[in-house]
């Protein structure tokens, strides 16, 4: 039964995923006499944690109950009080959690505090929960985001029409997959070339929702178009540029509400390391990259790409169309794992490094 309740807690945590950074998304379920009496999840940084949400709904029924939590309860004062204190004060008799918090301020300490108050604590490890916290664990260890890139290709390895003109390649199932990933990510990264050619909105559109996300754009010389949809559709818009941009362009874009971040340059372009350090400090655990093949290849060569979704559609765009990668694309062969799946009529390849 423990796994059943933890899966319900994970379902709740999924609702908050992509909205909690720099905090992890957490789900909690209060159970009394084998019945679920409340469910809670963390809705955003500074908002009550999942345990608080669940206990508030449970009320007095929480006393003597068990609580199932996807992540070890916190025991330190942040923007909100420690959850361990609340669990003790509300008379919870048993805590079951699935994942040890890798944050040194919490790891193991939350469990010991609960046990010191005679609360029974059990850990039930679950593969799906471990996967859920993959990006968070990476961020804690490296202070940089876990990076996933997505790219749609035709059968002849093309990503766009002649000169980079936009072409609809993927089918509806793959489009739904893309929007789900946008919803679940902390932020989206793209390039000014993609913005100029495609004018994307990069919001998450699914189940009748239209959710704005934080968007970061690589734009060395601040050529960002002033009529871009992202000025209206993004939650927050940030441009990474070189160290010496045009002052006039910088002032103009700032006046439009855009944040400008200057980073160094390398032979390959903007310094990926500086970009990742900044994103890590912003609290971005999970970064979703939607850009062209050259950007994705550059990420991989720099060692900052952890996963890529390459969808292949039954279309043939022709030799004048835009090729995804350079002729070798050797970085693809270095993937540590490759899995194929179907998304409607499209074949989706997941690669990991």
């Amino acid at each position: 039964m423990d796994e059943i309740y933890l899966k319900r807690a994970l379902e709740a945590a999924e609702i908050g995923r992509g909205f909690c950074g720099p905090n992890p998304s957490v789900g909690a379920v209060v159970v009394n006499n084998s019945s679920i009496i409340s469910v809670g999840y963390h809705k955003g940084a500074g908002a009550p944690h999942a345990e608080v949400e669940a206990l508030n709904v449970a009320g007095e029924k929480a006393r003597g109950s068990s609580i199932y939590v996807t992540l070890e309860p916190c025991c330190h004062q942040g923007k909100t009080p420690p959850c361990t204190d609340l669990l003790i004060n509300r008379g919870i008799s048993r805590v079951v959690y699935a994942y040890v918090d890798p944050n040194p301020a919490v790891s193991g300490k939350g469990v010991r505090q609960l046990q010191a108050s005679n609360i029974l604590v059990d850990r039930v490890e679950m593969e799906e929960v471990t996967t859920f916290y993959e990006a968070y664990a990476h961020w804690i260890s490296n202070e940089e985001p876990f990076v996933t890139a997505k790219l749609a290709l035709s059968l002849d390895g093309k990503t766009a029409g002649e000169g980079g003109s936009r072409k609809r390649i993927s089918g509806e199932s793959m489009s739904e997959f893309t929007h789900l990933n946008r919803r679940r990510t902390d932020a989206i990264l793209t390039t000014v070339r993609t913005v100029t050619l495609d004018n994307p909105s990069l919001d998450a559109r699914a189940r009748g929702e239209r959710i704005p996300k934080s968007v970061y754009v690589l734009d060395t010389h601040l050529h960002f178009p002033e009529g871009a949809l992202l000025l209206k559709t993004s939650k927050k818009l940030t441009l990474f540029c070189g160290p010496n941009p045009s002052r006039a362009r910088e002032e103009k874009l700032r006046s439009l509400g855009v944040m400008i971040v200057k980073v160094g340059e390398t032979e390959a372009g903007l310094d990926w390391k500086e970009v990742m350090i900044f994103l890590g400090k912003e609290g971005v655990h999970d970064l979703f990259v939607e850009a062209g093949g050259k950007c994705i290849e550059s990420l991989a060569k720099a060692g900052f790409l952890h996963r890529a979704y390459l969808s292949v559609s039954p279309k043939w765009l022709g030799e004048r169309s835009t090729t995804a990668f350079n002729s070798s694309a050797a970085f693809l062969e270095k993937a540590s794992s490759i899995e194929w799946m179907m998304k409607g009529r499209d074949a989706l390849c997941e690669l990991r490094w």
Side-chain angles (χ1 to χ4, degrees):
M1 292 299 289
D2 286 347
E3 287 194 356
I4 292 175
Y5 297 135
L6 282 173
K7 285 182 179 178
R8 181 67 186 89
L10 181 59
E11 289 174 0
E14 282 280 4
I15 301 173
R17 184 169 182 171
F19 304 95
C20 298
N23 296 337
S25 180
V26 180
V29 172
V30 177
V31 176
N32 193 307
N33 293 324
S34 300
S35 296
I36 294 176
I37 59 175
S38 66
V39 178
Y41 68 93
H42 188 35
K43 296 176 181 177
H49 287 188
E51 297 94 321
V52 178
E53 292 278 2
L55 288 171
N56 285 344
V57 174
E60 284 304 311
K61 292 182 180 179
R63 193 162 299 278
S65 298
S66 299
I67 190 167
Y68 291 79
V69 194
T70 53
L71 185 69
E72 176 184 1
C74 68
C75 56
H76 65 295
Q77 177 71 45
K79 291 184 177 180
T80 58
C83 288
T84 49
D85 289 352
L86 183 64
L87 294 171
I88 293 166
N89 294 335
R90 295 293 294 273
I92 288 292
S93 63
R94 182 181 181 226
V95 174
V96 183
Y97 70 102
Y99 195 77
V100 177
D101 195 330
N103 185 345
V106 179
S107 189
K109 298 174 184 177
V111 169
R112 290 192 292 273
Q113 184 177 345
L114 294 169
Q115 290 173 332
S117 296
N118 297 316
I119 294 176
L120 179 63
V121 182
D122 292 306
R123 183 190 177 197
V124 177
E125 189 173 359
M126 295 174 63
E127 182 179 356
E128 53 263 61
V129 178
T130 300
T131 299
F132 183 84
Y133 287 116
E134 181 178 29
Y136 172 57
H138 177 86
W139 178 75
I140 287 289
S141 298
N142 300 279
E143 298 182 337
E144 295 169 358
F146 182 90
V147 181
T148 300
K150 170 258 174 183
L151 187 65
L153 298 87
S154 62
L155 280 177
D156 53 342
K158 310 295 184 178
T159 58
E162 187 174 358
S165 60
R166 185 174 185 176
K167 293 283 186 180
R168 177 68 183 268
I169 297 176
S170 300
E172 286 302 320
S173 293
M174 190 59 209
S175 179
E176 291 175 6
F177 178 81
T178 298
H179 283 284
L180 175 61
N181 275 276
R182 287 180 185 175
R183 189 189 191 284
R184 300 171 83 231
T185 197
D186 294 318
I188 297 169
L189 183 139
T190 190
T191 65
V192 70
R193 175 176 170 80
T194 297
V195 174
T196 301
L197 292 173
D198 294 351
N199 196 20
S201 60
L202 296 182
D203 48 6
R205 302 186 296 278
R207 306 182 188 125
E209 297 178 302
R210 190 159 192 152
I211 303 168
K213 304 296 294 189
S214 294
V215 178
Y216 297 84
V217 182
L218 302 177
D219 185 6
T220 304
H221 304 294
L222 294 184
H223 289 160
F224 189 86
E226 295 172 21
L229 283 174
L230 286 174
L231 290 166
K232 298 178 180 179
T233 60
S234 59
K235 179 180 179 182
K236 181 179 70 172
L237 181 59
T238 303
L239 305 184
F240 289 110
C241 67
N244 299 300
S246 160
R247 181 173 295 181
R249 285 297 297 159
E250 183 178 356
E251 291 178 354
K252 177 60 178 178
L253 289 167
R254 288 187 189 278
S255 73
L256 296 175
V258 179
M259 181 177 181
I260 308 294
V261 178
K262 300 173 186 177
V263 298
E265 293 184 70
T266 67
E267 291 182 1
L270 294 179
D271 191 322
W272 279 117
K273 183 64 177 179
E274 289 189 31
V275 169
M276 293 302 160
I277 289 173
F278 180 87
L279 291 170
K281 290 179 179 179
E282 288 270 282
V284 177
H285 307 167
D286 198 324
L287 181 69
F288 194 54
V289 178
E290 294 193 54
K294 290 182 180 179
C295 175
I296 294 171
E297 189 169 1
S298 175
L299 256 177
K301 288 181 177 179
F304 292 108
L305 183 62
H306 306 104
R307 176 173 56 197
Y309 291 122
L310 304 183
S311 69
V312 183
S313 300
K315 288 188 175 182
W316 196 270
L317 297 188
E319 62 180 21
R320 290 190 175 183
S321 298
T322 304
T323 301
F325 305 113
N326 291 329
S327 56
S328 62
F331 77 97
L332 296 173
E333 300 173 4
K334 296 179 181 179
S336 59
S337 70
I338 300 175
E339 291 187 19
W340 286 90
M341 64 198 86
M342 293 302 299
K343 294 292 179 183
R345 66 191 180 96
D346 301 322
L348 178 64
C349 181
E350 178 184 341
L351 302 99
R352 284 177 172 264
W353 289 269

